[in-house]
Amino acid sequence: MRTPLLFALTLFLIVGLLAACGGAATDEEEAPAPTAVPAATATPVPPTATTAPTATTTAAAPAATEAPAEMSALEKYAAENAGGPGAIYVGDINQLVGPAKSVEQGDFDGNVTLESLERHLWIYESAFYEELLEKAKLTDPTPMTYDGEPITIQHACINRALLPCVALETFFAPNLLERTNGKVEFITSSFPELGLAGPDTLSLVTDGTLDSATIYGGYVGGEMPPIEIQNLWGIYNSREQEFEATQAVIKDIEELVLSETGGVIMNHNWYAGNDQFFFCREKIESLDDFEGKKTRSHSAALSDWINGMGADAQFLAFAEVYTAIERGILDCGVTGADAGYGQRWYEVTDYLVGPLVSFPSNNNVINGTKWAEIPEDLQQIILEEAAKSELEALRISAIQNEMGQIKNTTERGAGQDAMEFVPFSDEMNFRSLNTAVMEHVVPAWVNRVGDTSHPIIADTFNNKVGPIVGLRIEADGTVVKIN
C-alpha cells in the first residue's frame, strides 16, 4: 500500500513545481527579443539643458516586474546601423562613434570619436537634423518599380580634394547604385577636370550642359549676389552660431537657386574642416604684417574681408594656388584647413594663420530637364539616398571640424613640412568685426544686391541672420550692432 501512496505524493509535488515555474517561462517566451545595442552605450551621454541627469531621476525608473519599453522603428534602425557609416542619432550619441567611409574622412585612423561628437551635439539635436531623418525615410523606403535602361547622372564637384566631394563619391554614389540595382549611376567629376572656373556653373546646370553641379555662392555671386549671404566672412564667432544661421536661411537659399536654375536640389554639402586659414610664406602676427600681402581669395565677400584687413586680395582658381605660392606670385592662400591640406599647400608655406570661423553648406543641384526624365520612383529614391548621405556628412563633420588644423600642423599630418599655427591677435580680431565686416564685407554685399529693400536683406538677413550675429543693415546700407 505504501508504493501507490508514495507514487501519488511524488506526482503531486512534480505537478506543483511545474506550475510554479511555468509562468516565468511563458513570460520570457512571449517578450519581444531585444535588438542589439552597441557596447558603447554603457558610456553615459552628458545631460543637455532639456535632459535631466539619470542619476537624480530614480522615481522614473521602471519597476523590476515591468517589461522593457518597445523600441520605435527608428530606434531599431539606429541600433542596427550603429558604429560606422550610415549611423544616425536618435538620442544616443555613442551610436555615431566608429569609422568613416574612408580614412581621410575621419581622424588619423579614419574614426569619428565620441569626444568630437559630444562637442558637436548641437548638430544632432537640431530641427534640421530631425527633418533629414524624415526625408531619408529610413524605416519606410520607397520601393523601386523601374526596370528600364540604366540612368547616368554626371555631377560636377568643386574639387575632388574637398571632403564633400569625397563623401559623394564614397558614400552616396555606391549606395545609390546598390539601392537601384545598378539602374542609377551617379558619376562625380570636378571643376578642374571639366575646365570650369566656377562662376559659370550656375548657367551650365541651368541650360543642361551639366546634369548636376555643386553651386557655391562665392563662385556664382556675380550672377546672383543674394546667394552670397551664405558666405559673409567674419560675421560668425563659432561654428554653432553659423549652423544656427544656416538652418534659418537654408530654405531662402534653396528658393534663390531653384528660381535661377529651374532644377531640383538633391541635397546639401556641409563644409566641415572649413575654418578659413591663411597659408602664408611669412609669419603674420599683426596688422602691419598683413599689410599689402598678396592673398588668394575665392569669393567677392572674402576679397572684401582681406582688403578690409589691409592685405591685397587676388582671385585665383583653387587648383592654381599651389604653383602661384611656390613661385612667389602670392604671399598667402586662403581656404579651409582641410582643403588646403588636400592640395598640400603646407609644402609651399610655413605658417597657418587665423582662422575665420566657417561651417557653411551649399546646394547640389540637378538640371530640371534631366530630373524630369527620371521615373518618379527613382526620383524619390535619389532624394532618400541623398538625405542619408547628408546625415552621414553631418556625422563625420564632428571630427572633420577638428582635424583640419591638426593635419597641417603636426608631423603625423604634414610630415617634415608641418606648419606653425599663428592665431589672429586681439588687434586683428577687433579689426575683423569692426572694420573688415562692418565697413567692407556687408556693405559691399549690399551694394552688389543693389537695394536694402530686397527680401534677402530686409527679411532674410535682418530677421534671421542679424539677430543671431548681433548686426543689422540699415536702410542706407550701413551696418550697426544690435543686442
Side-chain angles (χ1 to χ4, degrees):
M1 296 297 293
R2 285 186 176 182
T3 300
L5 180 60
L6 288 173
F7 177 79
L9 181 60
T10 301
L11 181 62
F12 175 78
L13 290 173
I14 291 173
V15 171
L17 181 62
L18 287 174
C21 298
T26 303
D27 289 344
E28 186 175 325
E29 290 162 2
E30 291 177 354
T35 54
V37 179
T41 56
T43 303
V45 179
T48 65
T50 57
T51 305
T54 54
T56 60
T57 54
T58 53
T65 57
E66 291 180 354
E70 186 174 348
M71 298 173 74
S72 70
L74 196 58
E75 288 171 330
K76 289 180 181 178
Y77 181 96
E80 291 165 359
N81 290 275
I88 61 167
Y89 176 74
V90 190
D92 186 355
I93 199 66
N94 295 278
Q95 293 181 333
L96 300 187
V97 176
K101 191 68 174 178
S102 60
V103 172
E104 72 264 43
Q105 295 177 74
D107 63 8
F108 284 123
D109 299 314
N111 292 314
V112 181
T113 65
L114 177 60
E115 294 78 11
S116 65
L117 289 161
E118 288 176 333
R119 286 189 287 268
H120 289 77
L121 195 59
W122 40 269
I123 293 177
Y124 314 110
E125 293 187 339
S126 67
F128 181 81
Y129 190 89
E130 291 286 339
E131 291 173 6
L132 274 180
L133 289 174
E134 292 178 10
K135 287 181 182 179
K137 295 187 67 176
L138 298 170
T139 61
D140 183 28
T142 298
M144 189 177 78
T145 57
Y146 177 76
D147 195 29
E149 292 297 312
I151 296 169
T152 299
I153 301 173
Q154 300 274 355
H155 179 79
C157 228
I158 293 177
N159 192 297
R160 287 186 189 274
L162 298 180
L163 290 173
C165 300
V166 175
L168 285 175
E169 246 181 336
T170 61
F171 189 86
F172 172 69
N175 285 356
L176 180 62
L177 191 67
E178 181 180 359
R179 169 95 180 264
T180 59
N181 298 321
K183 294 298 185 180
V184 181
E185 186 174 11
F186 190 87
I187 301 174
T188 302
S189 186
S190 68
F191 294 0
E193 291 169 281
L194 298 172
L196 304 177
D200 48 357
T201 50
L202 191 65
S203 58
L204 292 176
V205 77
T206 300
D207 65 22
T209 302
L210 296 174
D211 289 346
S212 177
T214 295
I215 302 299
Y216 166 49
Y219 282 172
V220 303
E223 289 185 59
M224 192 166 53
I227 200 174
E228 287 187 283
I229 193 174
Q230 293 176 295
N231 306 107
L232 297 177
W233 301 101
I235 68 171
Y236 299 110
N237 60 34
S238 70
R239 300 184 196 113
E240 182 175 2
Q241 188 186 59
E242 182 167 3
F243 186 74
E244 183 183 355
T246 299
Q247 286 186 87
V249 305
I250 203 161
K251 298 298 183 185
D252 301 76
I253 302 302
E254 288 181 355
E255 289 177 9
L256 282 173
V257 173
L258 293 178
S259 65
E260 188 74 20
T261 65
V264 170
I265 291 173
M266 184 180 79
N267 68 353
H268 311 93
N269 288 326
W270 288 92
Y271 287 87
N274 197 60
D275 285 351
Q276 298 291 291
F277 285 90
F278 292 79
F279 291 71
C280 296
R281 294 157 58 96
E282 298 179 4
K283 199 169 187 176
I284 308 294
E285 295 182 287
S286 67
L287 288 171
D288 289 341
D289 294 335
F290 211 24
E291 187 70 30
K293 289 289 188 292
K294 289 183 172 57
T295 304
R296 177 262 181 172
S297 173
H298 51 74
S299 72
L302 186 55
S303 294
D304 295 330
W305 188 92
I306 292 169
N307 293 332
M309 295 293 287
D312 182 6
Q314 310 278 320
F315 185 85
L316 199 66
F318 187 49
E320 299 172 12
V321 178
Y322 183 103
T323 302
I325 295 176
E326 185 179 36
R327 294 177 178 176
I329 298 170
L330 291 175
D331 298 304
C332 303
V334 61
T335 190
D338 206 281
Y341 177 80
Q343 293 292 90
R344 306 178 72 88
W345 289 6
Y346 55 82
E347 294 180 343
V348 292
T349 57
D350 294 317
Y351 301 98
L352 192 70
V353 184
L356 285 173
V357 169
S358 178
F359 183 34
S361 74
N362 60 26
N363 295 295
N364 291 315
V365 182
I366 300 178
N367 168 265
T369 301
K370 178 71 176 181
W371 185 253
E373 296 171 354
I374 300 173
E376 190 172 336
D377 60 324
L378 294 185
Q379 288 180 349
Q380 185 58 39
I381 288 171
I382 290 169
L383 295 178
E384 289 168 17
E385 290 301 317
K388 288 164 67 174
S389 179
E390 196 167 345
L391 287 166
E392 175 65 10
L394 290 174
R395 181 180 84 94
I396 60 179
S397 285
I399 191 65
Q400 289 174 358
N401 269 333
E402 301 184 352
M403 286 301 295
Q405 179 179 330
I406 295 171
K407 288 177 180 177
N408 287 287
T409 56
T410 62
E411 286 192 12
R412 189 169 182 187
Q416 294 182 346
D417 294 313
M419 306 175 72
E420 179 183 340
F421 171 54
V422 184
F424 284 152
S425 65
D426 292 342
E427 175 192 33
M428 295 179 75
N429 282 321
F430 182 85
R431 178 155 175 171
S432 172
L433 175 61
N434 295 280
T435 300
V437 171
M438 295 183 65
E439 297 180 10
H440 293 265
V441 175
V442 178
W445 173 62
V446 171
N447 287 337
R448 288 191 290 274
V449 172
D451 188 346
T452 56
S453 65
H454 191 291
I456 201 69
I457 294 173
D459 181 25
T460 306
F461 186 92
N462 279 344
N463 293 332
K464 298 177 182 179
V465 177
I468 295 172
V469 300
L471 298 174
R472 178 176 179 81
I473 300 170
E474 302 287 41
D476 63 0
T478 58
V479 183
V480 297
K481 292 181 180 179
I482 57 176
N483 298 336

